[in-house]
Amino acid sequence: GAGVSQTPSNKVTEKGKYVELRCDPISGHTALYWYRQSLGQGPEFLIYFQGTGAADDSGLPNDRFFAVRPEGSVSTLKIQRTERGDSAVYLCASSLQGSLGETQYFGPGTRLLVL
Amino acid sequence: GNSVTQMEGPVTLSEEAFLTINCTYTATGYPSLFWYVQYPGEGLQLLLKATKADDKGSNKGFEATYRKETTSFHLEKGSVQVSDSAVYFCALSEDNFNKFYFGSGTKLNVKP
């Protein structure tokens, strides 16, 4: 069975450009999470989807960040007007229902570098 | 608020040595606790978890006990191997959405 996949694995962009990062969760998982991991740090929560809706977007750093999950499966994280401080590894995770204590399964991440 | 504190790394041990990686947490309620591992070049994988006080999670020779009285979830292994070299992350989840709060990670180097 396939795990969580993320594309691209690496993305280099210039300051001010727009980027999209894609996450394909495990089939049947209704809960999907995005995290951001800076060098030498643990992942930090960005946004949580239950089905198609963003149930908790409290971790998005500002309004340049947006995410969608239109059909309740694949999700796209969108970053507008990228800044050098956005450089990080963006991780996606999914779990069956999003219940407390459930294991989250992580993708390999997208490494974003903003020049 | 919720937070997780782990011991600073890197931790360097010889093969067959005893391992302890300390993890303490702050939470307002009754969290679930996790250890994730990241091997070189790979993604985060669940190592073990415990969902209520006094539970012990175990996997691959690693153990951790959920201690509510000391708000701790220390990771232990009796005899480490070179293949255990990785970065270990302690995490908690507490709210209905099960979002995770991670520590900063502890790098373990095991020498032959």
Side-chain angles (χ1 to χ4, degrees), chain A residues 31 33 35 37 40-45 48 55-56 58 91 95 98-108, chain B residues 30-32 34 36 38 42-46 49 51 89 93-105:
Chain A
Y33 305 80
Y35 295 85
Q37 185 175 17
Q41 300 298 314
E44 293 182 319
F45 169 78
Y48 161 64
D56 184 347
S58 61
L91 297 171
S95 70
S99 303
L100 180 62
E102 252 182 16
T103 298
Q104 292 184 21
Y105 297 86
F106 283 80
Chain B
Y30 300 93
S32 294
F34 303 80
Y36 276 77
Q38 188 167 35
E42 299 185 16
L44 282 167
Q45 306 174 21
L46 177 72
K49 70 178 184 182
T51 57
F89 291 92
S93 69
E94 185 182 32
D95 61 19
N96 292 335
F97 300 149
N98 200 40
K99 67 189 182 197
F100 282 8
Y101 299 83
F102 284 89
S104 57

Side-chain angles (χ1 to χ4, degrees), chain A residues 37-97:
Chain A
Q37 185 175 17
S38 300
L39 195 61
Q41 300 298 314
E44 293 182 319
F45 169 78
L46 295 176
I47 187 169
Y48 161 64
F49 285 91
Q50 178 53 248
T52 60
D56 184 347
D57 64 359
S58 61
L60 294 178
N62 51 61
D63 61 5
R64 295 186 298 105
F65 289 74
F66 188 70
V68 295
R69 194 186 185 198
E71 297 179 358
S73 178
V74 170
S75 176
T76 305
L77 179 65
K78 309 180 181 197
I79 311 175
Q80 298 177 325
R81 305 183 303 280
T82 51
E83 300 178 356
R84 293 195 179 87
D86 298 335
S87 297
V89 177
Y90 289 81
L91 297 171
C92 177
S94 71
S95 70
L96 190 60
Q97 295 180 321

Side-chain angles (χ1 to χ4, degrees), chain A residues 16-27:
Chain A
K17 300 288 189 183
Y18 168 83
V19 296
E20 288 189 350
L21 312 179
R22 175 188 166 108
C23 171
D24 206 333
I26 293 172
S27 178

